Amino acid sequence: MGSYWALAPHMGAEIDLPLTQVTGLLRKLGLSGRHAVAEQLLRLVGSRVPLAQCAIFSYEGGGRPRIVAIGDRARTAALPAISQDYVTRFYPMDGSVQVMAAESLAARRAGAANPHILLHRQTANDIAHPQYRAICYELPQVAERLAILALYQGERWMSVNFYRGVEHGPFDDAAIAVIEAFAPLLVQAVRLHHAGQTLNDDLAELMLARLRARCPALTKRDLDVVRGLLAGLATEGIAERMGIEVSSARTYLKRIYRKLGISGQRELIGVLLAPDAST
């Protein structure tokens, strides 16, 4: 399981942040590309502590977690696949999940104004499951993970995970002190980012519902393609998300345009933004 502790209000040294770094982080919250916030956190904290990766997850209702964002300092192109393996196969064995369960009541009592922030350390040696250890720690050459955990709106845990490479070694006391100092800022930033992304997702689903009502001939797969477009994905990204060939994604797009009687993506955006004729 590793070790964990709660961050008391007085814990953590003060840390000076240039205004440009704070502004750079704020620009990424909610409105930027999906993984930009993790990359920004990796740059921000990594400028003071040697780090290899950053991954942000959300956990809600006992189901499998959702990948919010990932950032990587060019260690392995496999990080997206590793993160997907984690959320589909390995998360029940993560010590952080046990910590969140044990601290749930205390976190709810704390509330949003003074959140109950937890830090959890986990090394490969803390993991008994051989595949979990091999895929999530040995493959990316991770020496240790330090997770920052906080409950959001009394129902959703947010987890900001920083990973040290084997070349960095485990987190020492000085590195932990820096991350403790950053933790309150990171918790609030990730909460804002998640709220902004949720709003964007809700707006996307509203537009998809209107599109479905206007054109009942669109299939679930058709709508998944449009959902990818609304997320800012190119055809290659849509194909990767749906697990299909790029040529198949292009075929889906052509079929969607044909069903809607339009000729391209610009007209599709116009259809999505057009007022509902029934209102």
Side-chain angles (χ1 to χ4, degrees), residues 220-254 256-257 265 268:
K220 181 180 181 301
R221 298 290 272 177
D222 292 336
L223 294 171
D224 285 341
V225 171
V226 179
R227 186 177 285 108
L229 289 174
L230 291 173
L233 297 177
T235 308
E236 292 77 10
I238 293 171
E240 180 180 354
R241 172 187 281 191
M242 296 178 62
I244 60 178
E245 298 293 330
V246 174
S247 59
S248 298
R250 293 195 182 101
T251 300
Y252 272 113
L253 278 171
K254 291 177 182 177
I256 291 166
Y257 297 153
Q265 187 171 335
L268 174 60

Side-chain angles (χ1 to χ4, degrees), residues 2-56:
S3 61
Y4 80 94
W5 63 98
L7 184 70
H10 64 277
M11 286 181 66
E14 292 186 2
I15 191 164
D16 292 327
L17 286 178
L19 183 60
T20 53
Q21 291 186 337
V22 178
T23 303
L25 175 59
L26 292 176
R27 285 173 177 165
K28 306 298 181 183
L29 301 184
L31 301 178
S32 61
R34 179 182 178 191
H35 300 299
V37 69
E39 296 283 358
Q40 187 67 25
L41 294 186
L42 192 56
R43 285 192 291 270
L44 182 64
V45 182
S47 65
R48 291 165 174 82
V49 175
L51 296 170
Q53 296 171 335
C54 174
I56 306 171

Side-chain angles (χ1 to χ4, degrees), residues 70-199:
I70 55 176
D72 188 7
R73 289 200 159 174
R75 296 176 60 77
T76 171
L79 184 57
I82 292 171
S83 300
Q84 192 63 36
D85 278 337
Y86 170 78
V87 300
T88 56
R89 302 170 57 193
F90 302 131
Y91 76 91
M93 293 164 275
D94 187 349
S96 285
V97 173
Q98 301 172 44
V99 171
M100 289 183 281
E103 296 289 330
S104 181
L105 182 59
R108 286 191 173 89
R109 286 175 175 170
N114 296 292
H116 186 59
I117 301 174
L118 303 158
L119 290 97
H120 174 246
R121 299 180 70 173
Q122 182 168 274
T123 69
N125 292 332
D126 297 319
I127 300 171
H129 192 280
Q131 285 187 306
Y132 178 22
R133 183 173 61 249
I135 291 175
C136 294
Y137 283 75
E138 294 172 0
L139 173 61
Q141 299 184 34
V142 166
E144 186 177 11
R145 183 199 69 185
L146 182 58
I148 303 169
L149 311 169
L151 192 64
Y152 176 55
Q153 293 182 335
E155 60 183 19
R156 179 184 299 108
W157 283 92
M158 304 298 296
S159 173
V160 182
N161 302 269
F162 291 113
Y163 302 84
R164 293 264 276 197
V166 294
E167 71 275 21
H168 306 133
F171 289 94
D172 56 22
D173 291 343
I176 290 174
V178 169
I179 293 178
E180 285 178 340
F182 269 109
L185 170 65
L186 303 186
V187 165
Q188 296 299 338
V190 169
R191 285 176 169 177
L192 289 171
H193 178 71
H194 187 272
Q197 291 288 0
T198 299
L199 177 60

